[in-house]
Amino acid sequence: SSIFFLIITPVAIHVMGSEFYGLWAILYAIIQLAGVGTAGMSSIVNKFASESQANSEKKFGEIIAGGVTIVFCLAILTALILFAIQNLIVANLKIDSASIQNQFRTAILIISFSLVPQFISRVYQGFLFSQIKYNLAKQIYLYYQISLWSGVVLISFWQKNLIFIAFWCFIVSLLTLVDYIFAVKKTCG
């Protein structure tokens, strides 16, 4: 992970340019900061699943379903907060171009939707941790990071468009969730 970021960061700055890279960095920071809204669900699921006396698919299914229900509500709440403050965020940035401002505002809206699969992924990640599948869970997260950043650089090389980047973030979040679900099914099945 560290080696990847040592390589991708200068490449991203070169391809995007400093101003566009700065906007991407702010979007990425919003994604990372919004993750606080999961309220530590990965650890909570890890605790309950690892302490479960009944090592059954039914009990694990109940833990996962409960976690998904909670983080879904938290994701909606976090997305609504992000949606409510998007104009405040954009207004406090010094973006000269009106079209880039609109792109950034729209990108925040799209990022808000990507929080749902991102939050639900934390439930499955926590379950994998409870089953001592730490390396597998971390590999999926590394895949997420590499896919996200590589796609952002490629999109920026093709066309510097924050809306396309935000859609890419949403797609990668969905694919990562699917990976986590398959990993959990394989672990339990």
Side-chain angles (χ1 to χ4, degrees):
S1 170
S2 297
I3 293 169
F4 173 74
F5 281 108
L6 285 172
I7 294 168
I8 198 71
T9 302
V11 171
I13 292 170
H14 176 73
V15 169
M16 295 177 170
S18 59
E19 183 179 345
F20 196 78
Y21 178 81
L23 293 172
W24 157 243
I26 292 168
L27 273 179
Y28 185 67
I30 290 169
I31 294 168
Q32 297 297 88
L33 184 61
V36 171
T38 64
M41 188 54 68
S42 180
S43 298
I44 294 168
V45 169
N46 180 359
K47 178 186 180 329
F48 282 110
S50 62
E51 291 179 350
S52 176
Q53 296 298 326
N55 195 9
S56 71
E57 285 186 34
K58 181 181 180 208
K59 182 66 175 171
F60 289 155
E62 291 171 357
I63 293 168
I64 290 172
V68 167
T69 302
I70 292 168
V71 295
F72 179 79
C73 294
L74 291 172
I76 297 299
L77 178 63
T78 306
L80 289 172
I81 291 169
L82 189 54
F83 181 72
I85 65 170
Q86 73 178 339
N87 289 327
L88 179 66
I89 294 169
V90 173
N92 284 300
L93 296 175
K94 300 215 185 294
I95 303 173
D96 294 331
S97 168
S99 72
I100 298 293
Q101 274 186 339
N102 289 332
Q103 279 185 25
F104 196 82
R105 188 174 287 111
T106 304
I108 290 174
L109 177 63
I110 297 165
I111 292 296
S112 298
F113 288 108
S114 76
L115 295 179
V116 173
Q118 181 183 348
F119 279 33
I120 294 172
S121 290
R122 299 285 175 94
V123 172
Y124 289 94
Q125 181 186 55
F127 182 81
L128 288 173
F129 288 164
S130 76
Q131 302 302 300
I132 312 174
K133 300 291 184 184
Y134 187 79
N135 286 337
L136 177 59
K138 285 301 190 180
Q139 286 173 351
I140 294 171
Y141 184 73
L142 179 62
Y143 156 78
Y144 165 77
Q145 293 291 336
I146 290 172
S147 299
L148 182 69
W149 278 82
S150 299
V152 166
V153 170
L154 288 173
I155 290 168
S156 297
F157 181 75
W158 172 61
Q159 183 177 20
K160 292 179 183 166
N161 188 311
L162 293 168
I163 296 171
F164 293 160
I165 287 173
F167 274 119
W168 178 247
C169 293
F170 181 73
I171 290 167
V172 171
S173 292
L174 278 175
L175 292 175
T176 302
L177 174 59
V178 169
D179 280 349
Y180 275 120
I181 291 170
F182 279 126
V184 165
K185 285 188 183 262
K186 186 176 178 183
T187 298
C188 290

